[in-house]
Amino acid sequence: EDQREEMLRLEREESCLFCPDKLATDSAHKILKMTPWWSVTPNRFPYRGALQHLLIIPSNHVSDILDLPAAAKADFWDVLAWVRAQYDMSYYGLGARCGDCRFTGGTIRHLHVHVIVGDVQDPEHEPIRMKFSSRLGDASELA
């Protein structure tokens, strides 16, 4: 519910949470690494069961990773390698929703890639599931 309220507030302001000017000045987002093409930040609303949940966010305001410049696409792999090494990840999952949020299950119209490590040591751990679609007509007001 907190996440939904934040998304509605930003929508009213016509503000993109992940564009560089907003991301750099938003005290709620700690930038862990920044390149000319990408920023890495902890997810403010980590998925239940995640031991680690980071976001890799492009500087370009696009909704599809394929719409990024070639240099940004190439730099993504270096940033991901930094994340894996920095957090000593021996396993992780990646998730990105590309295209129209009304159909992908996303709530932010700015591409971002989730890097998630499940807390598999937790005896109560349930597999982490990421929504990748919305039924036509069920789309959020945010999309």
Side-chain angles (χ1 to χ4, degrees):
E1 190 56 35
D2 290 342
Q3 181 180 10
R4 179 171 170 67
E5 287 303 314
E6 177 67 2
M7 299 303 107
L8 288 170
R9 182 185 68 77
L10 291 167
E11 187 76 10
R12 285 190 302 271
E13 292 177 6
E14 296 181 5
S15 177
C16 177
L17 174 68
F18 289 159
C19 276
D21 57 334
K22 180 73 174 170
L23 192 61
T25 60
D26 185 356
S27 62
H29 280 103
K30 179 181 177 189
I31 304 297
L32 305 170
K33 180 173 181 66
M34 184 179 282
T35 74
W37 298 105
W38 298 92
S39 295
V40 178
T41 184
N43 189 340
R44 286 177 47 199
F45 304 99
Y47 294 169
R48 187 179 56 224
L51 183 62
Q52 187 68 254
H53 190 164
L54 303 173
L55 300 175
I56 304 177
I57 305 167
S59 298
N60 296 77
H61 184 86
V62 298
S63 63
D64 191 319
I65 200 164
L66 296 177
D67 294 336
L68 288 168
K73 289 183 226 176
D75 190 43
F76 172 79
W77 301 109
D78 292 336
V79 171
L80 180 59
W82 177 87
V83 167
R84 187 182 72 173
Q86 183 71 22
Y87 293 91
D88 195 27
M89 294 178 176
S90 61
Y91 64 94
Y92 58 94
L94 295 177
R97 299 176 186 102
C98 296
D100 191 331
C101 288
R102 292 177 300 160
F103 310 113
T104 65
T107 56
I108 300 174
R109 293 182 190 147
H110 189 124
L111 173 71
H112 51 287
V113 180
H114 296 257
V115 182
I116 302 169
V117 175
D119 188 0
V120 297
Q121 299 297 321
D122 180 352
E124 306 281 318
H125 179 73
E126 298 267 337
I128 298 170
R129 306 213 185 271
M130 186 171 171
K131 183 177 180 182
F132 282 104
S133 65
S134 295
R135 194 174 341 173
L136 188 58
D138 288 349
S140 161
E141 299 276 331
L142 305 173

